[in-house]
């Protein structure tokens, strides 16, 4: 029987107690990885008042019941120290860390003129700082291992961006900014860690989860017996692939994924350049050069790529 593609590898999935993170943790385990299931929060009580293990432990138990290896972690990845403890837990439990999937996040949607400072800070803190924190400690681990081995080691990072960043979602300035920052973090990390054998990629998933139930309330619902087009299970196989040896040459990439479709997003390209005829530009010269260029451009066209919202399977 052929070995599973992630056999012998260990992984961390943040925000894995529900939704996308849960599906990703289950997929990595199905492919053979040992998984640390992270989800912030303490054990609580179920509807009957009985003690509940909490989402992270429930997913870890689900993996173990299926024959896999998993352990739970309930720390806050937006806290630098707790993120370090998460990475250390994976190393201490499984001997090393090979795969990091950053998924944890929150929403605090509001228009820019109505958004509070707390709503801005909390989203940037959880998404962008949370991605940095875990990546920092994982990168240090891989660098140390590479130095000890005298060559590249195995490392995979899969970060979670969003179409909100690509399309410029008007009601999500905090979320779009955080997700754009994550792409910058990903491409920087990809270049910095390539020599150590580590790849870093970002995905823009579209999925109906508890966090996005209001966002996708008007989207197509599944028919009887059909998988929801926005089910997290459409996303998790790509995460499994990017975490695998097969994706060794995929690095610093951004991919949109949902409903049976994966789209590779091309990097920005220079559309036009303007050179001064003098030593330095003047206001008048810039007006004469740039204003005509934009005069015939479609109204409302910006750097945002709203067309990604129209991508669909088939």
């Amino acid at each position: 029987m052929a070995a599973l593609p992630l056999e012998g590898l260990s992984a961390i999935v943040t925000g894995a107690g529900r939704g996308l993170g849960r599906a990703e943790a289950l997929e990595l385990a199905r492919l053979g990885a040992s998984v640390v299931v992270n989800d912030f929060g303490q054990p609580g009580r179920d509807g009957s008042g009985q003690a509940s293990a909490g989402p992270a432990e429930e997913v870890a138990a689900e993996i173990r019941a299926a024959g896999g290896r998993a352990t739970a972690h309930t720390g806050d990845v937006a806290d630098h120290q707790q993120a370090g403890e998460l990475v250390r837990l994976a190393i201490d439990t499984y001997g090393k860390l090979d795969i990091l999937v950053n998924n944890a996040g929150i929403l605090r949607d509001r228009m820019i003129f109505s958004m509070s400072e707390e709503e801005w800070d909390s989203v940037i803190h959880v998404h962008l700082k949370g991605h940095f924190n875990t990546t920092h400690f994982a990168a240090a681990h891989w660098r140390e291992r590479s130095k000890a081995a005298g060559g590249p080691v195995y490392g995979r990072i899969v970060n979670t961006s969003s179409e909100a960043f690509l399309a410029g979602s008007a009601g999500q300035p905090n979320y779009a900014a955080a997700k754009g920052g994550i792409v910058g973090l990903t491409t920087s990390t990809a270049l910095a860690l390539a020599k150590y054998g580590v790849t870093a990629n970002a995905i823009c998933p579209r999925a109906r989860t508890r966090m996005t139930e209001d966002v996708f309330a008007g989207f197509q619902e599944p028919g009887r017996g059909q998988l929801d087009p926005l089910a997290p299970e459409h996303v998790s196989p790509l995460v499994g692939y990017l975490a695998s040896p097969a994706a060794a040459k995929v690095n610093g990439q951004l991919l949109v994924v949902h409903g049976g479709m994966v789209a590779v997003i091309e990097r920005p390209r220079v559309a036009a350049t303007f050179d001064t005829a003098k030593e330095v530009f003047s206001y008048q010269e810039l007006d004469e050069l740039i204003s005509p260029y934009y005069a015939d451009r479609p109204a409302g066209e910006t750097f945002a790529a709203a067309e990604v919202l129209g991508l669909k399977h088939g």
Side-chain angles (χ1 to χ4, degrees):
M1 185 168 120
L4 294 171
L6 303 184
E7 191 73 46
L9 302 178
S10 66
I12 288 172
V13 183
T14 70
R18 302 179 179 89
L20 270 174
R22 173 183 174 274
E24 292 163 353
L26 293 175
E27 178 69 5
L28 295 181
R30 189 187 70 80
L31 295 175
S34 301
V35 184
V36 178
V37 180
N38 163 265
D39 200 83
F40 181 43
Q42 299 300 319
R45 296 189 176 276
D46 61 22
S48 65
Q50 297 297 310
S52 169
E57 177 53 38
E58 289 170 1
V59 174
E62 189 175 354
I63 290 171
R64 293 193 296 266
R69 301 178 68 195
T71 190
H73 179 268
T74 56
D76 179 6
V77 294
D79 180 282
H80 197 65
Q81 180 178 339
Q82 292 181 51
E85 292 168 356
L86 169 61
V87 172
R88 177 52 55 187
L89 175 62
I91 297 167
D92 290 346
T93 304
Y94 301 118
K96 58 185 173 59
L97 173 66
D98 303 291
I99 300 160
L100 171 63
V101 179
N102 284 310
N103 170 76
I106 61 172
L107 288 179
R108 297 290 185 270
D109 293 352
R110 205 174 297 276
M111 298 297 286
I112 188 66
F113 41 77
S114 302
M115 181 164 289
S116 69
E117 181 181 14
E118 188 280 329
E119 288 166 336
W120 172 270
D121 287 347
S122 61
V123 169
I124 298 296
H125 188 66
V126 174
H127 287 272
L128 188 51
K129 189 181 180 188
H131 273 60
F132 160 73
N133 285 342
T134 54
T135 299
H136 166 77
F137 290 106
H141 169 64
W142 288 320
R143 182 171 177 263
E144 290 171 7
R145 281 177 53 198
S146 178
K147 285 187 172 182
V153 295
Y154 191 98
R156 298 285 187 270
I157 300 171
V158 181
N159 288 333
T160 307
S161 183
S162 170
E163 292 170 293
F165 146 68
L166 287 170
S169 180
Q172 298 180 299
N174 48 2
Y175 185 69
K179 292 307 191 180
I182 286 168
V183 174
L185 172 65
T186 302
T187 54
S188 174
T189 302
L191 292 175
L193 300 186
K195 65 181 179 181
Y196 302 117
V198 179
T199 67
N201 295 286
I203 63 171
C204 294
R206 189 187 299 179
R208 200 189 315 269
T209 66
R210 189 178 67 161
M211 190 177 85
T212 63
E213 59 186 356
D214 292 336
V215 176
F216 295 127
F219 278 65
Q220 176 187 352
E221 295 281 353
R224 183 185 297 271
Q226 294 180 326
L227 182 65
D228 187 346
L230 294 178
E233 287 75 16
H234 286 297
V235 175
S236 54
L238 177 62
V239 173
Y241 166 74
L242 292 173
S244 76
K249 292 188 177 182
V250 184
N251 193 29
Q253 301 299 307
L254 178 64
L255 303 99
V256 172
V257 54
H258 56 79
M261 182 220 69
V262 174
V264 177
I265 303 302
E266 191 172 31
R267 65 179 177 83
R269 297 186 180 276
V270 177
T273 59
F274 304 95
D275 297 311
T276 180
K278 306 169 186 177
E279 184 178 1
V280 64
F281 273 117
S282 66
Y283 166 84
Q284 182 178 1
E285 188 182 17
L286 288 170
D287 181 28
E288 291 171 353
L289 290 172
I290 298 178
S291 295
Y293 175 77
Y294 281 102
D296 297 326
R297 294 282 289 270
E301 182 179 273
T302 72
F303 185 78
E307 63 270 19
V308 298
L309 299 180
L311 293 173
K312 61 182 180 179
H313 175 49

